Amino acid sequence: MIQIRSINNVARYERKTLLRSWFFRIFVAIALFYMIMFNIFFFAHDQQSNWMFRALESFMPYINTLFINVAQAVVAVFLASDFLKQDKKLDTAEVIYTRPISNIEYVVGKTWGIISVFMGLTFFFMLITAIFNFVIKDVGFDPMSYVMYPLLIALPTLVYI
């Protein structure tokens, strides 16, 4: 019988390990820098030639979701490839294995931990995009696109990876 508590314990330790990883921190810093520069370059200029980037209210969250989704997909592939190797290296497996846990609970917990961190990061980037959207006066704001695009684009990609 699958226990949700066991899955949540594994996910909590996976989130802690992932957030402490320098690889993940460097990825977040680089992605944040490029996303801010991208938004400034394409949306903050007051040029008439950029009207195609400003015409649709949902274009800013869409293009930023695609941008972060591609970057997250590449990083998630590397993190998923080190699935068990990282546990042995950091000796986190002993924390998990002190309680009886099935293989499926372990795998689902690790997957849930990775997905929750990356979805949190996606919504953080959507918050930054919303700030840019409020600052830029001639671009409309569609609040539903800030919720729907991460759920329709980023979540299926992370689940697949």
Side-chain angles (χ1 to χ4, degrees):
M1 182 172 167
I2 297 176
Q3 294 183 359
I4 300 297
R5 189 177 59 146
S6 298
I7 293 173
N8 284 333
N9 285 337
V10 174
R12 184 177 67 219
Y13 286 110
E14 183 64 24
R15 281 191 295 269
K16 285 181 182 181
T17 304
L18 187 58
L19 291 173
R20 291 177 184 167
S21 166
W22 279 104
F23 181 67
F24 182 75
R25 291 178 183 180
I26 291 171
F27 160 70
V28 170
I30 291 171
L32 184 63
F33 174 75
Y34 278 116
M35 193 195 78
I36 289 173
M37 289 297 123
F38 176 79
N39 284 326
I40 289 173
F41 181 73
F42 280 105
F43 298 111
H45 285 68
D46 195 25
Q47 299 173 353
Q48 295 297 332
S49 62
N50 285 341
W51 68 268
M52 66 181 170
F53 299 125
R54 301 170 186 215
L56 293 174
E57 294 176 340
S58 62
F59 185 74
M60 277 184 83
Y62 176 72
I63 198 71
N64 282 304
T65 302
L66 288 180
F67 171 75
I68 194 63
N69 189 41
V70 169
Q72 282 181 349
V74 171
V75 171
V77 166
F78 287 112
L79 289 174
S81 66
D82 289 339
F83 203 62
L84 295 172
K85 185 174 122 181
Q86 181 183 11
D87 283 348
K88 292 188 187 285
K89 178 182 171 190
L90 297 174
D91 291 333
T92 58
E94 286 79 15
V95 174
I96 302 299
Y97 293 140
T98 56
R99 297 189 178 115
I101 186 170
S102 68
N103 289 339
I104 191 136
E105 290 170 345
Y106 182 71
V107 171
V108 169
K110 287 190 71 72
T111 304
W112 173 243
I114 291 171
I115 287 174
S116 63
V117 168
F118 278 112
M119 285 306 293
L121 183 63
T122 301
F123 282 112
F124 173 71
F125 280 118
M126 288 294 99
L127 177 68
I128 293 173
T129 304
I131 292 170
F132 268 100
N133 203 339
F134 282 129
V135 169
I136 300 169
K137 301 294 183 208
D138 60 345
V139 178
F141 182 74
D142 180 26
M144 280 305 293
S145 62
Y146 285 91
V147 176
M148 295 306 293
Y149 284 145
L151 293 176
L152 294 175
I153 296 172
L155 184 60
T157 302
L158 291 173
V159 169
Y160 177 74
I161 289 176

